[in-house]
Amino acid sequence: MTTSKRRSFREPSLLTKILLQLAAIGILITVLFPIIWVFSVSLSPLNLIRPDGLNLIPKDATLEAYLQVIERPTGNPVSFIELAFNSMKIAGGTALASVALGVLAAYPLSRLAFRGRTFIMLVILGVLMLPAVATLAPLFVTLNGIRLELPILGTFNLRNSQLGVGIAIVSGSLPFAIWNLKGYLDTIPRELEEAAAVDGASQVRIFRSIVLPLALPAIAVTGFLGFISGWTEFYYSWMFLTQPRDFTLAMALSAMTGTYASAIPWPLVSAFSIMLTLPPAIVYLLSQRFITGGLAVGSVKG
Amino acid sequence: MSISTRINRRSLTPYMFIAPAMIVMAIVTIYPLIFQFWMSFTDYGLANLRQGAPAPDWVGLENYVKILTSELSIPNYSFLRLFLYNIFWALSNVTIHIILGVAIALLLNHPGLKLKRLYRALYVLPVLIPPIVVATTWRNLFNQDAGAINMLLALVGQVFRIPPETFSIDWLRQVEDPISFIPLPLSYYAMLIANIWLGWPLNAVVATGALQAIPKDLYEAAEIDGAGKWASFKTITLTYLRPAMVPFAIYGFVVTFNLFSLAYFMSSGGPFGRTELLVTQAYRLVNERQLYAVGAAFAVVLFVILLTISLITNRISKATARYDDF
């Protein structure tokens, strides 16, 4: 009796297998349905009011929504490329700044003993608890009071500029980067660094030639996460920016669904959504192996 | 303490490394937070924003009193409703996420299932989509005329000979509650469905990781001892899942509690602000109403709430951590 029971434990019946497969496919349909729907709507003609049903490829399928998005997605005279370039500038700049400053700060917080360390960690932890919207009012008011005169960019209000938006984003992304990188450094074995210290290497040298290379996967992940959140950043850019030439992708998407309120141009919105989503998703899928692999485990034995 | 840390106890090197980040943080993070605290006791508004405008007046606790007693002069504002709804929103979502995540992880871990890797890869696709796109997509799906949900329901209804006009449901704006004795608008249920779609996959990933760490012979031993399927699920599976799922549930609770995207882009807080969350209300106070001082005070209140939540969740995770001491 025990043997037959054990066999049933290891080798499920055909009926069980079919039911399991059906359940998995059913779940897959619910996961993919919204994605396929957006794809289908994006291929519909621009003047569509009501889709004629649940078709994968709609009747009169056309790429005109994509062409319109590339040329001029909103009422403002800005193309998709210009919007994407603005988002890229903000996302890239803030990701770079917070990772560069973050890894420098994470190293002593993870490895060195110094006065004030606990206090700094508590402050960072406290700041991390705040959602981004929580510092909106003071940042808006403060940056609004600053007029900058720069050689190339001319005179401008810091609040109404991409630089201002970048500063506001860094206010939240820097503490996150420090915390994330510190957490990763804590998991790297210290043997290599201790050996280097015994050999008389300076802290700067140890940081540059041991810690930095080992932390590369974490730097990449933190930078990528920072880039993603900057790429679709909404709170600050929507609040700060008023000139159409500064607008970002998320602002355009929000404007498309907001201003038309009752008659939203869904094919346009869907095409825009897909073009907004694809770049970071492709980067993620391509770099997945690099991100999860290449950890510090092997380096101690070798 | 390791060698490297001991050697450098008196050195200035740590400060050299940390100084750039600390200077930047002091200016762009800490100073605004202190300024915010000061602002919250004033009547800072649009009039104080212009260059050379007069300084705002000190009003003491007035902003806080108005926020907590729901006397702000904006439509559909009630602090208690906002707060209770926000807690319920996070709790109901996370509960469903965890149950579904564990159930689907069990399915993905079953020896009889083929193509496991394919399912695992495809199930996490929602996580790759930016929140603003997720919210916009679900707003489209639940749209009264152009949405797929109503079309899908009409299609299913045809089988039972229900006329398609029945399914012209205004999911996100309908004022009457769908279940008369539960005071939640229809848009709550629509947002719940959207957030379930978004939320369970990561829970399933975490649960799958925990399930794979369970030694297989434990189940066989339990079976030999005559334990039924339910008994071994309760004693073995749940015991191993708990230490992984509890911290993730807490994380999920905080994320869902502050989930801006759905409440802002999908339902716009409607109908009548009933699906507004604390974070979206905070944003509207500053962005739409230009009540900078009130917004600052609201952010301080939000901070106190989040601090309280994290103190409570800390105790929960400490209390549950004991279970894995076996």
Side-chain angles (χ1 to χ4, degrees):
Chain A
M1 195 190 126
T2 343
T3 32
S4 74
K5 231 185 175 182
R6 284 192 69 165
R7 194 178 299 136
S8 79
F9 180 81
R10 287 207 171 135
E11 194 57 53
S13 69
L14 186 66
L15 181 69
T16 318
K17 280 184 183 171
I18 292 170
L19 287 177
L20 287 168
Q21 214 60 243
L22 284 177
I25 290 168
I27 293 165
L28 188 60
I29 290 171
T30 68
V31 169
L32 294 183
F33 181 74
I35 299 171
I36 293 169
W37 172 253
V38 172
F39 173 73
S40 158
V41 174
S42 77
L43 293 175
S44 306
L46 276 178
N47 55 10
L48 165 113
I49 296 163
R50 194 193 145 93
D52 47 273
L54 298 163
N55 304 317
L56 178 58
I57 308 286
K59 258 182 252 166
D60 326 311
T62 161
L63 289 174
E64 61 185 39
Y66 287 92
L67 294 176
Q68 176 79 48
V69 164
I70 289 169
E71 204 177 305
R72 192 176 165 176
T74 58
N76 292 312
V78 225
S79 68
F80 184 85
I81 299 294
E82 287 169 281
L83 292 168
F85 184 64
N86 288 340
S87 287
M88 188 91 81
K89 265 198 291 187
I90 291 175
T94 53
L96 212 65
S98 37
V99 167
L101 292 170
V103 76
L104 280 175
Y107 173 61
L109 286 177
S110 165
R111 288 296 198 268
L112 310 176
F114 60 95
R115 208 181 278 272
R117 182 174 169 275
T118 319
F119 175 72
I120 290 174
M121 305 258 283
L122 278 176
V123 169
I124 294 175
L125 200 60
V127 170
L128 275 180
M129 228 163 51
L130 285 167
V133 288
T135 44
L136 192 68
L139 281 167
F140 179 81
V141 167
T142 313
L143 294 173
N144 192 57
I146 302 173
R147 286 193 80 76
L148 279 187
E149 282 185 51
L150 293 180
I152 304 161
L153 300 165
T155 310
F156 60 95
N157 183 335
L158 190 55
R159 186 264 306 165
N160 197 358
S161 72
Q162 289 174 350
L163 182 63
V165 172
I167 289 171
I169 294 174
V170 168
S171 116
S173 67
L174 177 58
F176 171 77
I178 296 175
W179 197 255
N180 208 30
L181 289 163
K182 187 225 164 242
Y184 183 81
L185 290 185
D186 286 347
T187 66
I188 301 180
R190 293 158 183 234
E191 280 89 338
L192 280 177
E193 292 154 61
E194 281 163 15
V198 170
D199 291 347
S202 69
Q203 284 302 334
V204 178
R205 180 83 201 279
I206 291 174
F207 175 75
R208 216 181 47 208
S209 35
I210 297 173
V211 177
L212 216 49
L214 284 179
L216 218 54
I219 292 174
V221 173
T222 314
F224 178 71
L225 290 177
F227 185 87
I228 294 267
S229 63
W231 176 253
T232 54
E233 200 282 330
F234 174 79
Y235 317 111
Y236 298 120
S237 40
W238 185 256
M239 174 92 199
F240 289 9
L241 302 174
T242 56
Q243 294 151 301
R245 65 182 162 86
D246 291 333
F247 285 0
T248 62
L249 290 167
M251 287 174 75
L253 183 56
S254 171
M256 283 157 92
T257 49
T259 42
Y260 300 90
S262 55
I264 298 169
W266 288 118
L268 208 59
V269 170
S270 301
F272 193 94
S273 297
I274 290 172
M275 290 177 62
L276 170 67
T277 307
L278 276 183
I282 289 172
V283 172
Y284 172 78
L285 291 174
L286 289 180
S287 57
Q288 209 176 9
R289 193 162 297 170
F290 172 70
I291 287 171
T292 45
L295 296 177
V297 191
S299 60
V300 174
K301 285 178 186 166
Chain B
M1 190 157 295
S2 65
I3 303 165
S4 55
T5 49
R6 224 182 301 150
I7 289 170
N8 286 283
R9 189 164 264 285
R10 280 151 186 270
S11 133
L12 280 175
T13 322
Y15 300 102
M16 216 177 70
F17 275 103
I18 208 165
M22 287 306 115
I23 293 168
V24 171
M25 243 183 91
I27 300 170
V28 305
T29 315
I30 307 300
Y31 169 72
L33 285 173
I34 296 167
F35 187 74
Q36 160 141 295
F37 195 61
W38 170 78
M39 261 175 93
S40 72
F41 298 105
T42 69
D43 65 352
Y44 208 118
L46 206 51
N48 309 97
L49 203 60
R50 270 170 278 126
Q51 298 275 318
D57 291 326
W58 185 266
V59 296
L61 289 171
E62 196 187 298
N63 292 327
Y64 291 94
V65 172
K66 279 185 173 169
I67 287 169
L68 296 173
T69 56
S70 309
E71 301 214 327
L72 293 178
S73 49
I74 56 169
N76 306 318
Y77 174 77
S78 154
F79 182 78
L80 190 67
R81 190 208 63 214
L82 204 56
F83 177 71
L84 291 178
Y85 173 77
N86 208 149
I87 297 267
F88 179 76
W89 160 255
L91 268 182
S92 55
N93 272 290
V94 170
T95 311
I96 299 174
H97 288 173
I98 299 271
I99 294 172
L100 268 181
V102 169
I104 293 167
L106 286 171
L107 172 74
L108 285 176
N109 215 40
H110 198 285
L113 185 74
K114 296 274 180 292
L115 302 170
K116 282 189 179 104
R117 298 187 65 146
L118 179 72
Y119 290 124
R120 265 179 213 150
L122 291 173
Y123 283 178
V124 294
L125 280 180
V127 182
L128 295 183
I129 304 171
I132 182 174
V133 172
V134 170
T136 311
T137 300
W138 281 94
R139 184 170 163 191
N140 179 355
L141 284 159
F142 278 111
N143 188 284
Q144 184 172 13
D145 301 316
I149 302 290
N150 278 347
M151 288 182 198
L152 204 62
L153 289 174
L155 209 66
V156 176
Q158 257 176 15
V159 181
F160 303 97
R161 299 185 182 284
I162 304 169
E165 301 87 67
T166 322
F167 301 104
S168 174
I169 305 167
D170 198 357
W171 289 89
L172 300 174
R173 285 182 300 191
Q174 181 179 306
V175 179
E176 306 88 50
D177 297 342
I179 306 170
S180 56
F181 55 89
I182 301 176
L184 287 166
L186 190 58
S187 56
Y188 161 78
Y189 299 95
M191 287 161 73
L192 187 68
I193 291 171
N195 200 37
I196 289 170
W197 180 82
L198 183 63
W200 72 258
L202 273 188
N203 279 275
V205 169
V206 173
T208 307
L211 284 178
Q212 282 169 349
I214 305 178
K216 292 278 173 292
D217 40 342
L218 274 183
Y219 289 108
E220 288 172 25
E223 213 175 304
I224 290 164
D225 288 349
K229 278 204 165 148
W230 174 242
S232 62
F233 173 75
K234 235 169 65 176
T235 50
I236 303 170
T237 314
L238 283 189
T239 314
Y240 270 86
L241 278 176
R242 201 174 282 130
M245 294 312 283
V246 169
F248 196 73
I250 290 170
Y251 166 78
F253 180 85
V254 175
V255 169
T256 315
F257 191 86
N258 292 325
L259 196 73
F260 182 89
S261 56
L262 290 182
Y264 192 83
F265 299 111
M266 187 176 162
S267 72
S268 308
F272 299 117
R274 290 178 64 199
T275 55
E276 205 81 77
L277 298 181
L278 290 161
V279 281
T280 53
Q281 185 66 71
Y283 192 74
R284 282 184 215 284
L285 283 172
V286 180
N287 184 49
E288 285 166 19
R289 306 270 156 200
Q290 285 131 353
L291 297 167
Y292 305 120
V294 179
F298 201 89
V300 175
V301 172
L302 183 58
F303 177 75
V304 172
I305 292 172
L306 290 173
L307 189 69
T308 315
I309 288 175
S310 75
L311 290 177
I312 296 171
T313 51
N314 247 338
R315 299 201 77 166
I316 294 176
S317 57
K318 271 191 192 133
T320 48
R322 287 193 205 113
Y323 282 104
D324 60 331
D325 297 340
F326 58 84

PDB file of all heavy atoms in Angstrom, chain B residues 265-283:
ATOM      1  N   PHE B 265      -3.998  57.743 -11.917  1.00  0.00           N
ATOM      2  CA  PHE B 265      -4.194  57.649 -13.372  1.00  0.00           C
ATOM      3  C   PHE B 265      -5.380  56.781 -13.761  1.00  0.00           C
ATOM      4  O   PHE B 265      -5.937  56.949 -14.834  1.00  0.00           O
ATOM      5  CB  PHE B 265      -2.941  57.099 -14.055  1.00  0.00           C
ATOM      6  CG  PHE B 265      -1.729  57.958 -13.867  1.00  0.00           C
ATOM      7  CD1 PHE B 265      -0.670  57.540 -13.087  1.00  0.00           C
ATOM      8  CD2 PHE B 265      -1.646  59.203 -14.480  1.00  0.00           C
ATOM      9  CE1 PHE B 265       0.446  58.331 -12.916  1.00  0.00           C
ATOM     10  CE2 PHE B 265      -0.530  60.005 -14.309  1.00  0.00           C
ATOM     11  CZ  PHE B 265       0.514  59.565 -13.529  1.00  0.00           C
ATOM     12  N   MET B 266      -5.766  55.812 -12.925  1.00  0.00           N
ATOM     13  CA  MET B 266      -6.848  54.913 -13.337  1.00  0.00           C
ATOM     14  C   MET B 266      -8.206  55.462 -12.940  1.00  0.00           C
ATOM     15  O   MET B 266      -9.081  55.641 -13.786  1.00  0.00           O
ATOM     16  CB  MET B 266      -6.625  53.530 -12.733  1.00  0.00           C
ATOM     17  CG  MET B 266      -7.596  52.480 -13.239  1.00  0.00           C
ATOM     18  SD  MET B 266      -7.187  50.863 -12.551  1.00  0.00           S
ATOM     19  CE  MET B 266      -8.742  50.019 -12.835  1.00  0.00           C
ATOM     20  N   SER B 267      -8.405  55.758 -11.665  1.00  0.00           N
ATOM     21  CA  SER B 267      -9.730  56.199 -11.223  1.00  0.00           C
ATOM     22  C   SER B 267      -9.760  57.697 -10.965  1.00  0.00           C
ATOM     23  O   SER B 267     -10.814  58.259 -10.739  1.00  0.00           O
ATOM     24  CB  SER B 267     -10.123  55.473  -9.933  1.00  0.00           C
ATOM     25  OG  SER B 267      -9.344  55.961  -8.855  1.00  0.00           O
ATOM     26  N   SER B 268      -8.597  58.357 -10.976  1.00  0.00           N
ATOM     27  CA  SER B 268      -8.486  59.769 -10.583  1.00  0.00           C
ATOM     28  C   SER B 268      -9.126  60.005  -9.217  1.00  0.00           C
ATOM     29  O   SER B 268      -9.677  61.068  -8.961  1.00  0.00           O
ATOM     30  CB  SER B 268      -9.114  60.704 -11.617  1.00  0.00           C
ATOM     31  OG  SER B 268      -8.598  60.420 -12.883  1.00  0.00           O
ATOM     32  N   GLY B 269      -9.096  58.998  -8.356  1.00  0.00           N
ATOM     33  CA  GLY B 269      -9.652  59.130  -7.014  1.00  0.00           C
ATOM     34  C   GLY B 269     -11.156  58.996  -6.963  1.00  0.00           C
ATOM     35  O   GLY B 269     -11.738  59.018  -5.890  1.00  0.00           O
ATOM     36  N   GLY B 270     -11.795  58.844  -8.114  1.00  0.00           N
ATOM     37  CA  GLY B 270     -13.242  58.882  -8.173  1.00  0.00           C
ATOM     38  C   GLY B 270     -13.902  57.561  -7.831  1.00  0.00           C
ATOM     39  O   GLY B 270     -13.239  56.546  -7.706  1.00  0.00           O
ATOM     40  N   PRO B 271     -15.212  57.538  -7.682  1.00  0.00           N
ATOM     41  CA  PRO B 271     -16.116  58.698  -7.713  1.00  0.00           C
ATOM     42  C   PRO B 271     -16.097  59.476  -6.384  1.00  0.00           C
ATOM     43  O   PRO B 271     -15.990  58.873  -5.339  1.00  0.00           O
ATOM     44  CB  PRO B 271     -17.480  58.044  -7.934  1.00  0.00           C
ATOM     45  CG  PRO B 271     -17.345  56.692  -7.312  1.00  0.00           C
ATOM     46  CD  PRO B 271     -15.900  56.287  -7.493  1.00  0.00           C
ATOM     47  N   PHE B 272     -16.176  60.778  -6.502  1.00  0.00           N
ATOM     48  CA  PHE B 272     -16.207  61.691  -5.344  1.00  0.00           C
ATOM     49  C   PHE B 272     -15.066  61.454  -4.364  1.00  0.00           C
ATOM     50  O   PHE B 272     -15.268  61.443  -3.150  1.00  0.00           O
ATOM     51  CB  PHE B 272     -17.545  61.596  -4.606  1.00  0.00           C
ATOM     52  CG  PHE B 272     -18.715  61.980  -5.447  1.00  0.00           C
ATOM     53  CD1 PHE B 272     -19.701  61.049  -5.754  1.00  0.00           C
ATOM     54  CD2 PHE B 272     -18.825  63.269  -5.967  1.00  0.00           C
ATOM     55  CE1 PHE B 272     -20.774  61.404  -6.559  1.00  0.00           C
ATOM     56  CE2 PHE B 272     -19.891  63.620  -6.775  1.00  0.00           C
ATOM     57  CZ  PHE B 272     -20.862  62.684  -7.072  1.00  0.00           C
ATOM     58  N   GLY B 273     -13.868  61.252  -4.895  1.00  0.00           N
ATOM     59  CA  GLY B 273     -12.692  61.100  -4.043  1.00  0.00           C
ATOM     60  C   GLY B 273     -12.686  59.862  -3.175  1.00  0.00           C
ATOM     61  O   GLY B 273     -11.887  59.761  -2.254  1.00  0.00           O
ATOM     62  N   ARG B 274     -13.559  58.895  -3.471  1.00  0.00           N
ATOM     63  CA  ARG B 274     -13.680  57.748  -2.565  1.00  0.00           C
ATOM     64  C   ARG B 274     -12.587  56.705  -2.750  1.00  0.00           C
ATOM     65  O   ARG B 274     -12.436  55.813  -1.925  1.00  0.00           O
ATOM     66  CB  ARG B 274     -15.060  57.105  -2.710  1.00  0.00           C
ATOM     67  CG  ARG B 274     -16.157  58.011  -2.142  1.00  0.00           C
ATOM     68  CD  ARG B 274     -17.518  57.408  -2.323  1.00  0.00           C
ATOM     69  NE  ARG B 274     -17.651  56.171  -1.571  1.00  0.00           N
ATOM     70  CZ  ARG B 274     -18.581  55.266  -1.838  1.00  0.00           C
ATOM     71  NH1 ARG B 274     -19.414  55.452  -2.832  1.00  0.00           N
ATOM     72  NH2 ARG B 274     -18.660  54.166  -1.111  1.00  0.00           N
ATOM     73  N   THR B 275     -11.843  56.779  -3.867  1.00  0.00           N
ATOM     74  CA  THR B 275     -10.711  55.851  -4.007  1.00  0.00           C
ATOM     75  C   THR B 275      -9.385  56.606  -3.937  1.00  0.00           C
ATOM     76  O   THR B 275      -8.352  56.100  -4.345  1.00  0.00           O
ATOM     77  CB  THR B 275     -10.777  55.055  -5.332  1.00  0.00           C
ATOM     78  OG1 THR B 275     -10.856  55.990  -6.420  1.00  0.00           O
ATOM     79  CG2 THR B 275     -11.965  54.134  -5.373  1.00  0.00           C
ATOM     80  N   GLU B 276      -9.454  57.822  -3.415  1.00  0.00           N
ATOM     81  CA  GLU B 276      -8.240  58.606  -3.200  1.00  0.00           C
ATOM     82  C   GLU B 276      -7.394  57.956  -2.099  1.00  0.00           C
ATOM     83  O   GLU B 276      -7.940  57.397  -1.163  1.00  0.00           O
ATOM     84  CB  GLU B 276      -8.659  60.014  -2.757  1.00  0.00           C
ATOM     85  CG  GLU B 276      -7.657  61.104  -3.035  1.00  0.00           C
ATOM     86  CD  GLU B 276      -7.702  61.600  -4.462  1.00  0.00           C
ATOM     87  OE1 GLU B 276      -8.609  62.377  -4.821  1.00  0.00           O
ATOM     88  OE2 GLU B 276      -6.816  61.193  -5.225  1.00  0.00           O
ATOM     89  N   LEU B 277      -6.073  58.009  -2.266  1.00  0.00           N
ATOM     90  CA  LEU B 277      -5.186  57.532  -1.204  1.00  0.00           C
ATOM     91  C   LEU B 277      -4.515  58.751  -0.574  1.00  0.00           C
ATOM     92  O   LEU B 277      -4.583  59.857  -1.104  1.00  0.00           O
ATOM     93  CB  LEU B 277      -4.113  56.591  -1.765  1.00  0.00           C
ATOM     94  CG  LEU B 277      -4.600  55.295  -2.419  1.00  0.00           C
ATOM     95  CD1 LEU B 277      -3.418  54.478  -2.904  1.00  0.00           C
ATOM     96  CD2 LEU B 277      -5.445  54.475  -1.459  1.00  0.00           C
ATOM     97  N   LEU B 278      -3.837  58.530   0.560  1.00  0.00           N
ATOM     98  CA  LEU B 278      -3.160  59.650   1.223  1.00  0.00           C
ATOM     99  C   LEU B 278      -2.124  60.291   0.290  1.00  0.00           C
ATOM    100  O   LEU B 278      -2.020  61.517   0.216  1.00  0.00           O
ATOM    101  CB  LEU B 278      -2.483  59.167   2.515  1.00  0.00           C
ATOM    102  CG  LEU B 278      -3.460  58.785   3.631  1.00  0.00           C
ATOM    103  CD1 LEU B 278      -2.780  57.909   4.658  1.00  0.00           C
ATOM    104  CD2 LEU B 278      -4.045  60.026   4.296  1.00  0.00           C
ATOM    105  N   VAL B 279      -1.384  59.460  -0.463  1.00  0.00           N
ATOM    106  CA  VAL B 279      -0.344  60.039  -1.334  1.00  0.00           C
ATOM    107  C   VAL B 279      -0.935  60.849  -2.487  1.00  0.00           C
ATOM    108  O   VAL B 279      -0.404  61.896  -2.841  1.00  0.00           O
ATOM    109  CB  VAL B 279       0.620  58.979  -1.911  1.00  0.00           C
ATOM    110  CG1 VAL B 279       1.644  58.566  -0.891  1.00  0.00           C
ATOM    111  CG2 VAL B 279      -0.117  57.805  -2.481  1.00  0.00           C
ATOM    112  N   THR B 280      -2.041  60.385  -3.072  1.00  0.00           N
ATOM    113  CA  THR B 280      -2.614  61.153  -4.170  1.00  0.00           C
ATOM    114  C   THR B 280      -3.253  62.432  -3.643  1.00  0.00           C
ATOM    115  O   THR B 280      -3.183  63.477  -4.287  1.00  0.00           O
ATOM    116  CB  THR B 280      -3.663  60.336  -4.955  1.00  0.00           C
ATOM    117  OG1 THR B 280      -4.627  59.831  -4.040  1.00  0.00           O
ATOM    118  CG2 THR B 280      -3.018  59.189  -5.690  1.00  0.00           C
ATOM    119  N   GLN B 281      -3.845  62.354  -2.448  1.00  0.00           N
ATOM    120  CA  GLN B 281      -4.415  63.559  -1.841  1.00  0.00           C
ATOM    121  C   GLN B 281      -3.300  64.571  -1.566  1.00  0.00           C
ATOM    122  O   GLN B 281      -3.454  65.772  -1.827  1.00  0.00           O
ATOM    123  CB  GLN B 281      -5.155  63.207  -0.551  1.00  0.00           C
ATOM    124  CG  GLN B 281      -5.890  64.371   0.084  1.00  0.00           C
ATOM    125  CD  GLN B 281      -7.035  64.861  -0.790  1.00  0.00           C
ATOM    126  OE1 GLN B 281      -8.048  64.206  -0.948  1.00  0.00           O
ATOM    127  NE2 GLN B 281      -6.868  66.036  -1.391  1.00  0.00           N
ATOM    128  N   ALA B 282      -2.170  64.087  -1.061  1.00  0.00           N
ATOM    129  CA  ALA B 282      -1.033  64.971  -0.794  1.00  0.00           C
ATOM    130  C   ALA B 282      -0.592  65.659  -2.088  1.00  0.00           C
ATOM    131  O   ALA B 282      -0.310  66.862  -2.098  1.00  0.00           O
ATOM    132  CB  ALA B 282       0.130  64.173  -0.199  1.00  0.00           C
ATOM    133  N   TYR B 283      -0.544  64.898  -3.169  1.00  0.00           N
ATOM    134  CA  TYR B 283      -0.115  65.467  -4.455  1.00  0.00           C
ATOM    135  C   TYR B 283      -1.106  66.523  -4.939  1.00  0.00           C
ATOM    136  O   TYR B 283      -0.720  67.589  -5.401  1.00  0.00           O
ATOM    137  CB  TYR B 283       0.024  64.355  -5.490  1.00  0.00           C
ATOM    138  CG  TYR B 283       0.724  64.810  -6.751  1.00  0.00           C
ATOM    139  CD1 TYR B 283       2.092  65.022  -6.766  1.00  0.00           C
ATOM    140  CD2 TYR B 283       0.010  65.047  -7.925  1.00  0.00           C
ATOM    141  CE1 TYR B 283       2.741  65.446  -7.906  1.00  0.00           C
ATOM    142  CE2 TYR B 283       0.649  65.476  -9.072  1.00  0.00           C
ATOM    143  CZ  TYR B 283       2.016  65.670  -9.057  1.00  0.00           C
ATOM    144  OH  TYR B 283       2.656  66.099 -10.194  1.00  0.00           O
TER     145      TYR B 283
END
